Amino acid sequence: MTLAPETTNTEHRLVGTGHVGEGADRYDRLRATGSVFKVAEPDREYWVVLDHDLVRQCLQDATTFSSSVISPLNPEPPFAMIPIQLDPPEHTQWKMLLARYFSPRQMEALRPGLEARCRELIADIKARGECDLLHDFALKFPTAAFLELMGLPLDQLPTFLEWEKQITTPDDKGGFDEERQVGAMFAVVGYFAEEISRRRNAGTHTDDLLSDMLTWEIDGVPAPDDALINCCVLLFLAGLDTVTSTLAFSWHHLATHAADRAHVAATVARGEATDGIVEELLRYYAVPEVGRKVTRDVELDGHLLRAGDLVVFPLVTANRDGSFLADADRVVLDRAQAAPHLTFGAGPHRCVGSHLARIELNIALVEWHRELPDYVVPEGVEVSSYWGNIHGMYDLPLQVVDGADR
Ligand code: HEM
């Protein structure tokens, strides 16, 4: 094998803040100069893989690219999150158990509740004529959906929102107050521990995911409660800020691109499906960065990755790679065919919640644009974003444009 002369990038930073778009743009600039990079930051080293086909190949090869480490920010996790940090074959049983609850048909059953919740939030925004998209909508909607799916009371929403903020939203430099973050994680763990124990003691079975989880068996024996709590915490972590951030980037795009906004509003007004629009926004604004640990020496595009090395796959730039899609570097809402993007990952760990995410995004798009077809970021407002394991925004002020003002 011929290896490329190794150069190490010391400029790149996994975590940071900047204007909306910079989190993705800095990877796109890097991809223009190569597919695989070694990065050395003052306190961590890792590889970055940017090419669409390479990212897909690596994520499909769970033997070489282990999920035991999913972020260089946490290189020695004290325990494995279930199922995202388990490798096959241990991973497989958990994934099969979970997948049954997230099929398109099961998710469709949630539609009436999700639509009603969405309409409530939008009615409130319409009455005010302005909102902060993050706090008034993008955080509340997926969190309410999660509570409904799990069979938890909706009055828990403010508590869950506070935990979510403390765990997932970094400070204005992109870092975290670790004490606050760990405290919130413990609170989530404690909540699920208590809820599971309450349900076991009550001996009643309600028709929801959490109650069903209490009947799960792994290798023919009941799944222990600590594993179930762990899995609940992962669902909380995996299913909330991903949807929140996707809503934020999508609405920011639409608020700042009048022709695309008009296209969405017209599609909704005609009663046509919005799936293609959702798929393109998901592709272009992929918010997760996925990580792996290399289990054996392996050559990747002329670079030697050694056993034990950590790798980051920024899905957003893989999705904008022009070698797999025409006009990949811009949003095209009316593509003839949805692009086979990597936003939900690939291989054994591909997102189990993708159908839920899609239905949430479709409902949000339709319900919002039916009531609020025109809106902008108020003049003079600078919106900023952060990046790390997930890309996101702190807030997104929006002003509704009244029909009479247009
Ligand atoms: C737009 C929203 C979402 C995006 C972009 C997204 C993205 C992803 C990605 C990229 C992975 C693979 C991670 C890896 O390979 O290490 C993943 C896994 C996962 N996601 Fe999502 N996700 C979203 C929404 C959801 C929702 C709504 C749920 C459920 C409530 C969910 C639950 C999970 C779980 C449980 C896994 C782990 C699957 C496994 O390990 O086999 N996700 N997600």
Side-chain angles (χ1 to χ4, degrees):
M1 106 181 104
T2 318
L3 294 176
E6 208 51 78
T7 49
T8 301
N9 179 324
T10 54
E11 303 298 313
H12 184 79
R13 295 290 176 269
L14 208 51
V15 171
T17 59
H19 65 81
V20 176
E22 179 58 11
D25 292 350
R26 76 213 160 98
Y27 278 125
D28 291 344
R29 289 194 293 270
L30 213 51
R31 182 167 41 72
T33 63
S35 304
V36 178
F37 288 88
K38 185 163 197 178
V39 176
E41 296 193 22
D43 43 10
R44 61 184 72 96
E45 278 194 11
Y46 52 90
W47 294 90
V48 178
V49 180
L50 304 157
D51 171 272
H52 178 94
D53 293 347
L54 270 186
V55 171
R56 189 180 287 282
Q57 270 169 37
C58 294
L59 294 181
Q60 283 171 342
D61 178 2
T63 311
T64 309
F65 295 94
S66 162
S67 289
S68 56
V69 177
I70 53 170
S71 168
L73 300 177
N74 189 10
E76 286 168 18
F79 60 89
M81 302 279 295
I82 298 173
I84 203 162
Q85 282 178 269
L86 303 178
D87 290 322
E90 207 188 351
H91 166 262
T92 315
Q93 286 192 59
W94 282 98
K95 185 65 175 273
M96 281 167 66
L97 282 166
L98 265 176
R100 279 197 308 206
Y101 295 87
F102 287 92
S103 69
R105 199 149 58 98
Q106 302 265 51
M107 295 303 99
E108 207 42 54
L110 295 176
R111 181 181 282 278
L114 295 181
E115 284 175 346
R117 182 72 194 140
C118 203
R119 282 177 197 150
E120 257 173 52
L121 294 173
I122 290 166
D124 185 46
I125 294 168
K126 190 173 181 181
R128 284 186 287 130
E130 60 178 17
C131 73
D132 181 302
L133 194 275
L134 255 298
H135 301 280
D136 297 327
F137 187 71
L139 277 159
K140 288 182 178 170
F141 179 47
T143 311
F146 175 77
L147 292 172
E148 177 164 354
L149 170 81
M150 295 297 278
L152 298 170
L154 202 58
D155 63 13
Q156 288 299 321
L157 186 63
T159 314
F160 270 70
L161 287 174
E162 189 51 35
W163 288 333
E164 191 190 346
K165 190 170 131 205
Q166 293 179 6
I167 295 170
T168 62
T169 311
D171 59 31
D172 57 5
K173 295 195 176 52
F176 282 96
D177 173 344
E178 275 181 32
E179 207 174 305
R180 215 169 78 119
Q181 194 185 31
V182 171
M185 274 293 273
F186 273 118
V188 178
V189 169
Y191 177 85
F192 282 112
E194 206 177 307
E195 186 61 23
I196 286 176
S197 144
R198 192 186 65 74
R199 290 186 188 209
R200 286 223 191 272
N201 291 336
T204 49
H205 185 96
T206 43
D207 187 18
D208 54 58
L209 176 54
L210 185 54
S211 283
D212 277 6
M213 285 171 87
L214 305 188
T215 66
W216 284 2
E217 291 189 349
I218 298 290
D219 291 330
V221 293
D225 281 359
D226 56 353
L228 294 176
I229 295 165
N230 177 330
C231 186
C232 288
V233 174
L234 174 68
L235 288 172
F236 171 87
L237 292 177
L240 299 186
D241 61 336
T242 45
V243 180
T244 297
S245 288
T246 307
L247 286 168
F249 281 100
S250 301
W251 261 244
H252 181 269
H253 175 92
L254 295 171
T256 53
H257 293 77
D260 284 349
R261 190 164 71 248
H263 173 76
V264 174
T267 307
V268 170
R270 288 194 299 268
E272 289 171 10
T274 50
D275 306 65
I277 295 171
V278 164
E279 232 39 48
E280 178 68 354
L281 292 168
L282 273 166
R283 176 190 73 82
Y284 196 78
Y285 294 107
V287 296
E289 296 193 6
V290 170
R292 295 288 187 265
K293 184 172 183 168
V294 180
T295 59
R296 63 176 176 91
D297 292 2
V298 62
E299 188 251 315
L300 219 53
D301 196 37
H303 301 267
L304 180 63
L305 280 61
R306 295 195 180 277
D309 284 356
L310 304 184
V311 192
V312 174
F313 302 97
L315 305 177
V316 69
T317 201
N319 280 346
R320 297 180 186 189
D321 179 352
S323 67
F324 99 103
L325 179 73
D327 294 324
D329 58 352
R330 63 187 188 92
V331 172
V332 182
L333 292 181
D334 56 354
R335 285 186 189 275
Q337 255 189 336
H341 61 72
L342 288 165
T343 302
F344 293 117
H349 288 279
R350 194 182 175 285
C351 179
V352 78
S354 62
H355 303 302
L356 176 57
R358 284 186 168 122
I359 203 169
E360 288 179 37
L361 294 168
N362 269 292
I363 289 173
L365 209 64
V366 170
E367 299 299 333
W368 177 286
H369 290 89
R370 192 180 281 149
E371 294 298 323
L372 305 170
D374 206 4
Y375 49 94
V376 288
V377 176
E379 244 180 72
V381 170
E382 286 288 326
V383 183
S384 61
S385 69
Y386 58 83
W387 49 86
N389 293 337
I390 296 284
H391 297 210
M393 280 177 218
Y394 298 98
D395 33 43
L396 176 55
L398 291 181
Q399 199 161 7
V400 173
V401 180
D402 206 296
D405 299 341
R406 265 181 258 150

